């Protein structure tokens, strides 16, 4: 939940507020507070009234809207569900509504909900995107832009179902839950019920969830089995589902999701391998064996995924007080320590760990596009992929400290206060986008830094242009689709690049970015302004209480 903290940058204004019960209308603090609300409204009106399509959003746009992108380039009739697209914008609007009590933001959130409900799959989930152009438009996109994205193999085949990948379904469902609880909209409730049914119906009896649901005809890529129905931990599929169900249960008291949560948590235990490799794979076949997924994701264990799953087990212990969730953490941490790879930059841990040997696996690629390109795996650390880094930095001491902290907690107290046994409903957090950036697109991530979050509200106000948006260098771009790639690789070495030849439609970083519009940057900047606004409001309340 968001916590209000007076930053040093606003200390002067806070002192002014506390010095007098009558806050003069001409004070710099009130002037900037008014500037903040004015800027937020103008920037939001531009997005809502000039950028959105049927209430939904993509990730980035050129100013003339001649090109636009979600994770990949999009049709004009598309909106993106995967964050930081449509559902993320809905969360931001709800945050702004809660902070300002301005109904304009609530109406903007309703438009988002209508867009999501219009594109909700009949099963109750969502795809990565919604195309209001219909099935023919979606199929055309997959046959052109999608299949030409060399490194984005999840877009090489149109399944026609919904996905948990990258939070597409869960963030949309989470937003609808939030909106329904606000005012009890019956139309939103109907869509939310469908989403809950989707999460429950898609879960395997063992407790895990597939990446996609419902099952469709299988798609084989480069001879590998279809992975979309495998039990999936990659990209926090299982963790996000459990977290959402807990939100839903706590805020509604609907006990039908309890069994699903418990089985979901237990699935982490069932899939945990035994010694001498007590780790996890990113996905498992239905006979609970580690499995490969995309062609650059070999059958293996994963150090980074194991780290995340240990964090989840600690969380489950704190939720339940059940020792089974932390019983094997010491041996798992010891295993992580044993597979460390010493590099000039410091200790690193393999994304892919070979079964039985514990050797680090490195993925490479040959070719220049999705037609002639291929991935292969060996033990050679030279010239690995950069879009799926083979070695990751993990803070093992921090993980150990968190485990020891959980272990020190009184078990009986954890059991007594478990939210799974609560008999009263609790409110959701009022703010979902302020604690940390939820944006994940390349443009926003490339600009995200601690310095950005410490930027003054005044600078954000000044940066809004005359058209009422924040001009953003679109460092993430892509080659436009010009046809299927040649079967003969183009000249050059594409083994260590994000994009291949001119036929590859994968997004990549450019050193000559065009200026454009970014929903991720809008969310980030609005977060800074909302934080400053809430600080002013808190100071006002404190001043009144003092006098």
């Amino acid at each position: 939940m968001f916590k209000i903290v007076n930053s040093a940058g606003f200390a002067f204004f806070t002192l002014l507020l506390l010095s007098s019960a009558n806050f003069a209308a001409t004070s710099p603090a009130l002037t900037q507070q008014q500037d903040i609300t004015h800027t937020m409204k103008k920037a939001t009106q531009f997005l809502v009234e000039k950028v959105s399509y049927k209430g939904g959003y993509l990730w980035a746009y050129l100013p003339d809207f001649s090109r636009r992108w979600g994770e990949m380039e999009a049709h004009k009739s598309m909106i993106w569900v995967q964050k930081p697209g449509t559902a993320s914008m809905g969360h931001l609007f709800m945050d702004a509504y809660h902070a300002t009590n301005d109904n304009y933001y609530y109406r903007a959130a309703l438009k988002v909900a209508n867009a999501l409900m219009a594109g909700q799959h009949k099963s109750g989930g969502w795809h990565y995107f919604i195309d209001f152009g219909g099935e023919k438009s979606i199929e055309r996109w997959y046959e052109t832009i999608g299949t030409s994205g060399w490194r984005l193999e999840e877009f090489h085949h149109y399944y026609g179902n919904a996905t948990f990948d990258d939070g597409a379904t869960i963030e949309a469902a989470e937003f609808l839950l939030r909106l329904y609880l606000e005012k009890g909209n019956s139309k939103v409730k109907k869509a939310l019920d469908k989403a809950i049914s989707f999460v429950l119906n898609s879960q395997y009896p063992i407790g895990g969830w597939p990446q996609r649901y419902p099952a469709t005809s299988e798609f084989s890529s480069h001879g590998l089995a279809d992975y979309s129905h495998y039990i999936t931990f990659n990209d926090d599929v299982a963790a996000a589902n459990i977290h959402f169900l807990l939100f839903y249960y706590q805020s509604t008291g609907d006990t039908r999701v309890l069994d699903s949560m418990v089985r979901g948590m237990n699935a982490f235990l069932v899939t945990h391998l035994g010694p001498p490799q007590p780790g996890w794979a990113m996905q498992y076949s239905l006979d609970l064996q580690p499995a490969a997924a995309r062609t650059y994701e070999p059958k293996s264990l994963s150090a980074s995924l194991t780290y995340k799953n240990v964090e989840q087990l600690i969380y489950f212990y704190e939720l339940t007080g059940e020792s089974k969730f932390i019983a094997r953490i010491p041996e798992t941490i010891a295993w992580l320590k044993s597979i460390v790879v010493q590099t000039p930059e410091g200790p690193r841990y393999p994304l892919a760990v070979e079964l039985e040997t514990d050797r680090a696996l490195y993925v490479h690629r040959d070719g220049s596009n999705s037609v002639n390109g291929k991935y292969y795996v060996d033990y050679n650390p030279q010239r690995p992929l950069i879009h799926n880094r083979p070695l990751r930095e993990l803070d093992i001491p921090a993980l150990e400290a968190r485990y020891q902290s959980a272990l020190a907690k009184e078990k009986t107290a954890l059991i007594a206060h478990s939210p799974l046994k609560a008999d009263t409903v609790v409110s959701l957090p009022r703010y979902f986008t302020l604690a940390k950036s939820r944006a994940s697109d390349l443009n926003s991530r490339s600009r995200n830094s601690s310095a950005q979050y410490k930027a003054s509200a005044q600078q954000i106000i000044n940066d809004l242009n005359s058209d009422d948006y924040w001009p953003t260098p679109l460092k993430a771009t892509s080659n436009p689709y010009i046809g299927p790639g040649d079967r003969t690789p183009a000249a050059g070495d594409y083994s260590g690049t994000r994009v291949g030849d001119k036929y590859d439609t994968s997004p990549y970083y450019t050193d000559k970015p065009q200026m454009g519009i970014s929903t991720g940057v809008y969310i980030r900047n609005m977060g800074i302004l909302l934080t400053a606004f809430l600080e002013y409001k808190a100071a006002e309340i404190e001043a009144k209480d003092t006098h």
Side-chain angles (χ1 to χ4, degrees), residues 469-488:
Y469 68 87
W470 285 289
T472 302
L474 300 182
K475 296 180 180 179
T477 187
S478 64
N479 295 325
Y481 176 75
I482 58 174
D486 292 334
R487 293 191 175 279
T488 302

Side-chain angles (χ1 to χ4, degrees), residues 224 227 230-234 271-273 277-285 288-307 309 335-336 339 349-363 376-379 388-392:
L224 292 175
Y227 65 89
Y230 287 164
I231 294 171
T232 303
F233 291 102
N234 191 24
T271 53
H272 194 182
L273 269 64
Q277 290 184 300
W280 282 269
M282 290 189 175
Q283 51 278 317
Y284 292 79
S285 57
L288 300 184
Q289 297 302 307
R294 291 173 290 189
T295 58
Y296 48 82
E297 293 170 331
K299 179 179 178 179
S300 61
L301 302 182
S302 169
S304 54
L305 188 280
T306 295
Y307 187 101
N309 280 8
W335 177 70
L336 286 173
I339 59 172
Y349 298 83
L351 177 65
V353 181
E354 189 174 46
L355 291 166
E356 298 184 6
T357 71
D358 274 350
R359 295 182 69 179
L361 298 175
Y362 297 88
V363 184
Y376 63 96
V377 181
D378 61 23
Y379 307 115
N388 204 34
R389 293 177 297 111
L391 297 177
R392 309 293 175 95

